[in-house]
Amino acid sequence: MKYGQTVLSHKHIYPNGDPERYDSISLTVYLIEQDGRRILVDAGCDTMPGFPLSHFVSPCEILARYGLTPQEITDVIITHAHHDHIDAIRHFTNATVYVQEKEYERGKQYLPEHARLHIFDQSCSVTDDVQVFCIGGHSAGSCIVCYTLGEHVYVICGDECYSPNNLLYKIPTGASKNREASKAFIEEYSKPCYIPLLCHDPRILPDTNGYVVLEELR
């Protein structure tokens, strides 16, 4: 579900990238529907201070176009606690929130007072097919989400990579806080047995917002 787009400098996307060059990136959350559960990967944001925005609406607006209210979301997985991934969490009042312990400390000011929390260290299972793993490359507790669907393993990458080129050329982002952890992520999840889904992939609904279903991304 793409709710907007902005730009990011090559300094953040690539190691030693040019700080004066910018690429368009999407602002995206993912929804997994399984056995009556509606699992949102990241909450998205209602504001993005310091970033130019286009085609921007609340993530809840895209959810409404899909036919759901925020109260119908049963679970929200936070890949990491940067503003654009957690700001809108306050809307999902009925959801259990899954957050890595270091990211909880960073982002707890965003969380509603009575939020149902599942705080974990290295990994957790949301369902048998939806698992969360701490990578710790982009930030101290940044995570990815692996969703097994039949013979496919979809990997929602959080901000462990910004561009398809990070995986294609096996180079971590320029925004990595732990380069070795980022290199290990790239090495593993660039393998052909995984289908990576990026949270800022510019190819997702370019120059518009809205939603597409998983099968259309394959």
Side-chain angles (χ1 to χ4, degrees):
M1 296 186 171
K2 177 185 170 185
Y3 60 94
Q5 63 191 54
T6 185
V7 296
L8 197 64
S9 76
H10 279 211
K11 176 182 177 181
H12 289 91
I13 300 172
Y14 307 111
N16 304 313
D18 184 348
E20 300 301 320
R21 289 186 62 189
Y22 289 82
D23 281 351
S24 178
I25 63 169
S26 68
L27 298 171
T28 306
V29 299
Y30 287 90
L31 176 68
I32 299 170
E33 294 182 295
Q34 185 185 59
D35 299 330
R37 303 271 289 275
R38 296 186 175 99
I39 304 164
L40 202 63
V41 180
D42 286 328
C45 60
D46 289 322
T47 64
M48 194 61 177
F51 287 82
L53 298 171
S54 59
H55 312 290
F56 186 80
V57 297
S58 169
C60 295
E61 165 62 25
I62 307 301
L63 201 65
R65 294 184 205 174
Y66 184 73
L68 294 176
T69 66
Q71 290 71 36
E72 291 177 282
I73 298 299
T74 59
D75 309 89
V76 180
I77 303 167
I78 300 298
T79 62
H80 63 292
H82 288 166
H83 181 86
D84 57 318
H85 293 257
I86 197 172
D87 171 54
I89 190 64
R90 64 189 178 278
H91 298 301
F92 304 103
T93 53
N94 292 331
T96 298
V97 180
Y98 297 78
V99 59
Q100 199 274 345
E101 60 186 12
K102 294 184 177 107
E103 299 303 310
Y104 167 73
E105 289 301 323
R106 176 197 294 270
K108 59 186 176 183
Q109 71 273 16
Y110 290 97
L111 296 166
E113 183 178 355
H114 301 295
R116 292 193 299 275
L117 298 175
H118 183 106
I119 301 171
F120 63 93
D121 179 13
Q122 290 302 309
S123 65
C124 74
S125 295
V126 180
T127 72
D128 289 343
D129 298 322
V130 179
Q131 297 180 309
V132 189
F133 299 100
C134 178
I135 302 296
H138 178 69
S139 62
S142 62
C143 294
I144 62 170
V145 178
C146 291
Y147 174 37
T148 302
L149 183 63
E151 62 185 21
H152 301 290
V153 179
Y154 292 89
V155 182
I156 302 172
C157 297
D159 279 5
E160 292 298 338
C161 55
Y162 287 126
S163 165
N165 289 335
N166 294 123
L167 288 167
L168 180 63
Y169 299 110
K170 295 189 176 182
I171 52 174
T173 73
S176 173
K177 301 302 182 185
N178 183 329
R179 187 60 58 85
E180 291 307 311
S182 293
K183 286 180 179 178
F185 163 80
I186 293 286
E187 192 63 34
E188 175 63 22
Y189 292 98
S190 60
K191 294 176 180 177
C193 56
Y194 300 108
I195 302 173
L197 302 173
L198 279 58
C199 289
H200 297 296
D201 193 332
R203 301 172 299 180
I204 298 174
L205 296 171
D207 298 323
T208 187
N209 57 36
Y211 66 88
V212 290
V213 299
L214 193 61
E215 287 76 9
E216 292 175 350
L217 295 177
R218 284 171 52 181

